[in-house]
Amino acid sequence: MECIKKRFGIRSGRGQKLEMESMKKDTSGFRSDIGHILLTQSGYKIHNLEEHLSGTSVLAEKFSAEFDSAPWGRICGLLHDLGKHTDEYQEYACITSGYMKGKWEKEKPDHTLAGAMYGRKLPPVAYCIAGLQGGLPDWKDLSERLDREADGKTVQTGLLQSVLGQMAQDIRSKGVLNRENFHFWIRMLFSALVDADYLDNERFMVRRPPSRTDNPRIVFEYLKMQLDRHIPKLSSGTIVGRLRSEVYDGCCDAAEMEPGFFSLTVPSGGGKTLASVAWALRHALKYGKRRVVIAVPCTTTTAQIAQTLRQIFGDENIVEHHSDLVGEDDFIYGMAAENWDAPVIVTTNDLLFRSLYAAKGTQCRKLHNLCDSVIILDEAQQIPPSRLEPVCASLRTLVSLFGVSALCTAAMQPVFSGSVKARKITCEALPGIREIMPNIDRLAVKLGRVRLLFSSGQDYDAIAEEMKRYESLLCIVNTRREARRIFERMPSGTLHLSRMMCPAHMLETINTIRKCRAQGVPVTVVATPVVEAGIDIDFPVVYRAAAGIESVILAAGRCNREGEMTANGIVKVFKGEEKIPSGFMEESAAVLDEIMHKITNTEYLFLPSVQASCFEKFYTRTPAYDADGIAQLLCDGAGDCVFSFAEAAAKFHILDDSGEHTVVVAWEKGKELIKRLKKEDINRNLLRKLQDYAITVRHEDFEEMKNSGAIEPLKGIWVQKDPGIYDEKIGLVMSGRWPEEIQIIA
């Protein structure tokens, strides 16, 4: 790739106006310019600006080609650091790096605006380049920044603006962009630029060579072979085992279907996880997909699924990503940010969708790697109705514009097809969904292996005494407050599971539970809903605090899971002393109460038709399918390329975690990793390990820990300082209380 001066003939005196001249002008002006400076043991190492612009443009062009936008990626890469070609920035780089003596007392120069100025008549380019410093901006802020930069200066665009104008005409003529997907396309272009920029920086810094999956077909052939070898080991002669084989075979056959939207509705314990992965690998091979992304409801599930897949596929083929520890868009943190460069990604629903509406470069970096991928959205029924419209809009765009095939898996399938209506509002859901397992009712009947009981109000003393009668039991409650009240009434040795335990701690506890159950050792567990989705544990008796139908059915999936009991397992739904948390859970529970008054047999709740009725009622109760007004911020001004990226990113979330913070705890290997963080530079490998010891806490709890000195910042990451805030049995504790989990938003 020719350097930017050769390609566009840019000549500029430092601090003077930039002019467009012929493509044959001398290029020596950039040859001494500094892009980055690195102090090594042998002295200072200079990353030449010309080389950086050229290297970034090559990668950005390659990544943008994944969604048919190669010229746009190329021009963004060539222009992105043009502002470093000024006396002011060169002086700043030399002084702040120690390369030149002096003291820099002014603000850091905004080196993105010069490139954005050239793309001003083509706003997507301006958004992307300006977004490298502080994230994708709102148009109001961007236009003000550009006006200030242009004040008193002359920018003659010539040939470059001619090229940009041709590109604008090209994209309009394609007719593929519309008001719903335009902002996604800009964000995807931004992702390609950010990843290219950071990878070229990595190449200079020699921190790790850029790792790409350039021949995914070879990788997927190997993964498919490994999975096919593993599946026979799981077969059993039980009814459940035979049905799992049927589901697996059905998924393998369905992989031949044309790309688009799919659903897999199988009751808990029916083997959805590995069957859906088998479908994804075969579908990827059939249609040339590049990556498989598995999005699940919570970190516990990511930890368990990632552990299972690593055992089958090997560590090098799996990236587990559930915590964004990188908080800033600066040079070092940007290079460490996750970019999903493995064949199989295991993440959370919340992180996936928040990334699709993000503005920060560190959060958007990975997005272009979703192009031509297969996405498995696990337990789709846990998407809150108030966020249904932006979630469905993102999925529709991924499938229609970026070559994605999407599979929604669930123990009960919400009404995601066609239109979803509530009072006077309508949400266009997902078009053309095809169910992989056609006879859902038959599966539900055959996988029925529990007896469902409902009780009236009980105090916690009575509930605890009742539960003590059983040798092994799982009790699931709605909050940690409720968990504590029951846990403290149970015998010594009772185990606990919640999201206030770090993922590594939760996974070790789950493995302990499995070992006890396999060896016939009695074990009692008091947990929050964290165990309900995708956690492979099996109990003869499960108690569930009153909640919605999705919670009750998922809890039942942890009872007699293997179908090996001579009689049905027992699932008891009880009403304790605590109120059901307001929002998503309260609304869902109200719908179940309404349904319970209309049925004569609790076993009917396992029928897909009854579950669909519950979801229809649930959706009709919501006052808005886009409670944050995301469409207004990102779609209404699309015709004029006016977007509020930053405001939308701040507003959109699935969990009730406004002001959330992540803290790394010193549990087991977490202690050594915190020591490494003190000694080593931030890097992606270290961050991937640290997230296994990270807990997301509410803002008020974070402030209390910070003010009391219980945690401290370490290279921008908050880590545990006071050993007393993390208990070996129950996780995070504060002043004798159990901090509450973050809930799904209303």
Side-chain angles (χ1 to χ4, degrees):
M1 174 71 67
E2 297 180 48
C3 75
I4 188 170
K5 284 210 160 188
K6 287 183 178 179
R7 183 169 291 277
F8 297 112
I10 297 176
R11 184 180 69 183
S12 64
R14 297 213 181 129
Q16 300 173 4
K17 67 180 182 181
L18 301 174
E19 298 179 357
M20 298 300 303
E21 296 192 355
S22 74
M23 297 175 67
K24 297 180 180 179
K25 293 293 182 181
D26 175 59
T27 64
S28 60
F30 276 5
R31 296 188 189 281
S32 61
D33 277 347
I34 295 169
H36 306 99
I37 305 178
L38 175 65
L39 179 60
T40 67
Q41 292 181 346
S42 59
Y44 283 95
K45 181 180 178 182
I46 305 297
H47 194 189
N48 180 268
L49 179 58
E50 176 188 350
E51 294 174 357
H52 177 54
L53 294 176
S54 178
T56 301
S57 69
V58 170
L59 289 173
E61 180 178 30
K62 174 184 175 183
F63 299 157
S64 301
E66 296 163 358
F67 50 98
D68 298 325
S69 303
W72 295 80
R74 181 176 70 251
I75 198 67
C76 285
L78 289 170
L79 293 176
H80 82 285
D81 270 355
L82 197 62
K84 291 184 177 181
H85 187 54
T86 63
D87 280 333
E88 183 183 32
Y89 188 88
Q90 293 297 303
E91 183 182 1
Y92 161 82
C94 291
I95 291 176
T96 55
S97 65
Y99 183 67
M100 187 172 76
K101 291 183 180 180
K103 184 178 181 181
W104 186 264
E105 296 181 343
K106 296 182 289 185
E107 292 184 1
K108 178 182 177 181
D110 188 342
H111 60 277
T112 64
L113 284 181
M117 284 292 295
Y118 275 98
R120 187 172 189 180
K121 290 188 177 180
L122 199 60
V125 175
Y127 275 118
C128 292
I129 295 176
L132 291 173
Q133 190 155 316
L136 286 170
D138 296 341
W139 174 248
K140 181 177 181 294
D141 295 333
L142 175 59
S143 59
E144 289 176 357
R145 286 170 63 188
L146 295 177
D147 286 341
R148 288 195 300 269
E149 180 72 6
D151 188 29
K153 298 181 181 179
T154 302
V155 180
Q156 298 179 8
T157 54
L159 177 62
L160 179 55
Q161 286 294 1
S162 174
V163 172
L164 295 176
Q166 292 171 12
M167 292 165 60
Q169 181 61 37
D170 175 61
I171 196 167
R172 282 193 293 267
S173 66
K174 286 182 179 179
V176 294
L177 297 182
N178 54 48
R179 67 182 297 275
E180 179 179 277
N181 64 28
F182 197 3
H183 69 93
F184 286 116
W185 179 81
I186 294 176
R187 198 178 282 103
M188 201 66 79
L189 183 64
F190 179 56
S191 167
L193 174 61
V194 170
D195 199 20
D197 186 21
Y198 288 147
L199 286 173
D200 191 69
N201 290 340
E202 283 185 36
R203 189 157 46 197
F204 160 69
M205 301 285 281
V206 199
R207 294 178 178 274
R208 68 191 281 269
S211 57
R212 316 294 313 168
T213 308
D214 287 326
N215 196 336
R217 182 168 190 85
I218 294 175
V219 177
F220 286 143
E221 287 282 9
Y222 169 76
L223 299 185
K224 173 181 170 295
M225 178 182 68
Q226 292 297 100
L227 184 57
D228 288 344
R229 287 176 176 175
H230 177 78
I231 289 300
K233 301 175 185 177
L234 305 179
S235 61
S236 68
T238 65
I239 293 176
V240 173
R242 290 194 293 272
L243 285 173
R244 286 174 182 165
S245 295
E246 181 181 331
V247 171
Y248 189 87
D249 292 342
C251 285
C252 292
D253 293 340
E256 298 287 319
M257 298 168 72
E258 290 288 327
F261 287 109
F262 300 84
S263 62
L264 175 62
T265 311
V266 176
S268 290
K272 290 188 301 295
T273 301
L274 291 183
S276 64
V277 172
W279 171 84
L281 292 176
R282 284 166 169 78
H283 191 73
L285 284 167
K286 172 71 175 178
Y287 294 102
K289 304 301 182 184
R290 301 170 49 249
R291 190 165 280 104
V292 173
V293 179
I294 305 168
V296 298
C298 61
T299 54
T300 316
T301 317
T302 63
Q304 178 184 277
I305 291 176
Q307 180 189 56
T308 300
L309 295 182
R310 285 191 185 104
Q311 291 169 352
I312 301 171
F313 298 144
D315 288 348
E316 69 279 6
N317 292 310
I318 308 295
V319 162
E320 177 188 354
H321 185 204
H322 49 71
S323 298
D324 266 331
L325 294 175
V326 175
E328 302 297 332
D329 279 346
D330 68 9
F331 184 60
I332 300 299
Y333 283 85
M335 287 191 297
E338 186 57 71
N339 69 342
W340 288 0
D341 58 356
V344 179
I345 310 298
V346 184
T347 187
T348 64
N349 296 336
D350 180 62
L351 195 149
L352 171 64
F353 290 113
R354 282 212 288 181
S355 297
L356 285 164
Y357 285 96
K360 285 186 177 181
T362 50
Q363 294 173 312
C364 292
R365 179 180 182 180
K366 57 188 171 289
L367 290 180
H368 73 92
N369 279 326
L370 288 174
C371 294
D372 286 322
S373 67
V374 181
I375 295 178
I376 300 171
L377 187 63
D378 191 37
E379 302 301 349
Q381 78 277 356
Q382 295 199 8
I383 300 297
S386 59
R387 304 305 186 269
L388 189 61
E389 186 172 308
V391 165
C392 287
S394 66
L395 290 172
R396 286 194 300 267
T397 299
L398 286 172
V399 170
S400 65
L401 196 60
F402 299 114
V404 168
S405 278
L407 171 65
C408 297
T409 74
M412 64 211 84
Q413 202 61 250
V415 188
F416 271 0
S417 59
S419 298
V420 182
K421 298 181 180 180
R423 300 187 180 100
K424 297 181 180 180
I425 59 174
T426 301
C427 172
E428 293 302 322
L430 306 180
I433 296 181
R434 289 155 287 174
E435 172 61 45
I436 288 177
M437 298 302 295
N439 199 335
I440 303 173
D441 285 337
R442 184 181 67 85
L443 278 177
V445 172
K446 287 201 170 186
L447 279 171
R449 53 203 186 279
V450 303
R451 185 158 53 100
L452 193 57
L453 308 174
F454 285 79
S455 70
S456 56
Q458 293 177 277
D459 62 40
Y460 291 123
D461 287 331
I463 293 170
E465 287 303 314
E466 190 176 301
M467 291 195 300
K468 289 176 186 177
R469 301 173 191 168
Y470 301 99
E471 282 193 344
S472 292
L473 171 141
L474 170 64
C475 175
I476 306 173
V477 293
N478 296 321
T479 65
R480 278 193 101 215
R481 173 184 168 89
E482 194 170 16
R484 178 181 182 176
R485 297 187 67 180
I486 294 178
F487 184 85
E488 291 176 342
R489 289 168 166 81
M490 299 304 292
S492 174
T494 297
L495 301 179
H496 173 66
L497 278 170
S498 76
R499 286 201 299 271
M500 291 297 100
M501 299 161 69
C502 67
H505 191 179
M506 286 191 286
L507 191 57
E508 181 179 275
T509 303
I510 291 169
N511 289 336
T512 298
I513 294 168
R514 289 175 178 163
K515 184 177 179 180
C516 289
R517 294 291 299 131
Q519 296 177 352
V521 177
V523 59
T524 298
V525 181
V526 178
T528 63
V530 73
V531 302
E532 287 179 341
I535 303 302
D536 189 11
I537 52 179
D538 190 358
F539 283 85
V541 179
V542 173
Y543 272 53
R544 181 54 170 100
I549 188 171
E550 74 287 343
S551 297
V552 172
I553 299 301
L554 289 173
R558 310 317 120 193
C559 182
N560 193 18
R561 188 174 180 84
E562 300 301 321
E564 295 177 346
M565 296 175 61
T566 54
N568 282 345
I570 297 174
V571 176
K572 183 173 181 179
V573 180
F574 66 90
K575 292 185 178 180
E577 299 171 33
E578 296 283 343
K579 291 183 178 180
I580 298 173
S582 61
F584 181 91
M585 199 174 291
E586 184 180 39
E587 290 293 325
S588 183
V591 170
L592 179 57
D593 280 343
E594 184 180 336
I595 293 292
M596 289 296 294
H597 286 95
K598 298 179 180 179
I599 62 175
T600 58
N601 188 333
T602 58
E603 290 185 7
Y604 292 163
L605 293 179
F606 293 100
L607 295 176
S609 56
V610 175
Q611 294 168 4
S613 176
C614 279
F615 278 110
E616 287 174 1
K617 291 181 179 295
F618 184 35
Y619 289 142
T620 58
R621 296 171 72 98
T622 187
Y625 290 126
D626 182 12
D628 299 319
I630 300 300
Q632 182 179 0
L633 296 171
L634 295 175
C635 300
D636 288 359
D640 298 316
C641 215
V642 174
F643 303 104
S644 296
F645 286 109
E647 186 178 352
K651 285 186 173 183
F652 179 79
H653 51 295
I654 289 177
L655 298 177
D656 190 11
D657 54 3
S658 53
E660 67 163 12
H661 300 272
T662 301
V663 175
V664 176
V665 297
W667 181 81
E668 297 291 341
K669 292 182 180 179
K671 297 176 184 177
E672 294 302 317
L673 290 171
I674 291 174
K675 290 179 181 178
R676 281 183 57 187
L677 183 61
K678 292 179 180 178
K679 297 177 181 179
E680 300 178 16
D681 288 336
I682 292 288
N683 61 79
R684 200 175 312 144
N685 181 57
L686 179 57
L687 288 182
R688 285 176 176 174
K689 293 179 183 298
L690 281 168
Q691 70 172 349
D692 288 337
Y693 300 88
I695 298 174
T696 301
V697 299
R698 300 181 304 173
H699 178 70
E700 55 266 36
D701 293 327
F702 172 80
E703 288 295 321
E704 182 179 330
M705 289 189 289
K706 183 177 72 171
N707 294 334
S708 67
I711 56 176
E712 61 180 345
L714 189 57
K715 297 179 181 176
I717 297 173
W718 286 91
V719 301
Q720 179 185 351
K721 182 180 179 182
D722 178 3
I725 65 169
Y726 198 84
D727 185 89
E728 295 292 322
K729 292 183 178 179
I730 59 176
L732 195 66
V733 291
M734 294 170 55
S735 304
R737 69 179 178 87
W738 294 19
E740 200 53 71
E741 291 179 325
I742 293 170
Q743 303 286 343
I744 297 176
I745 203 162

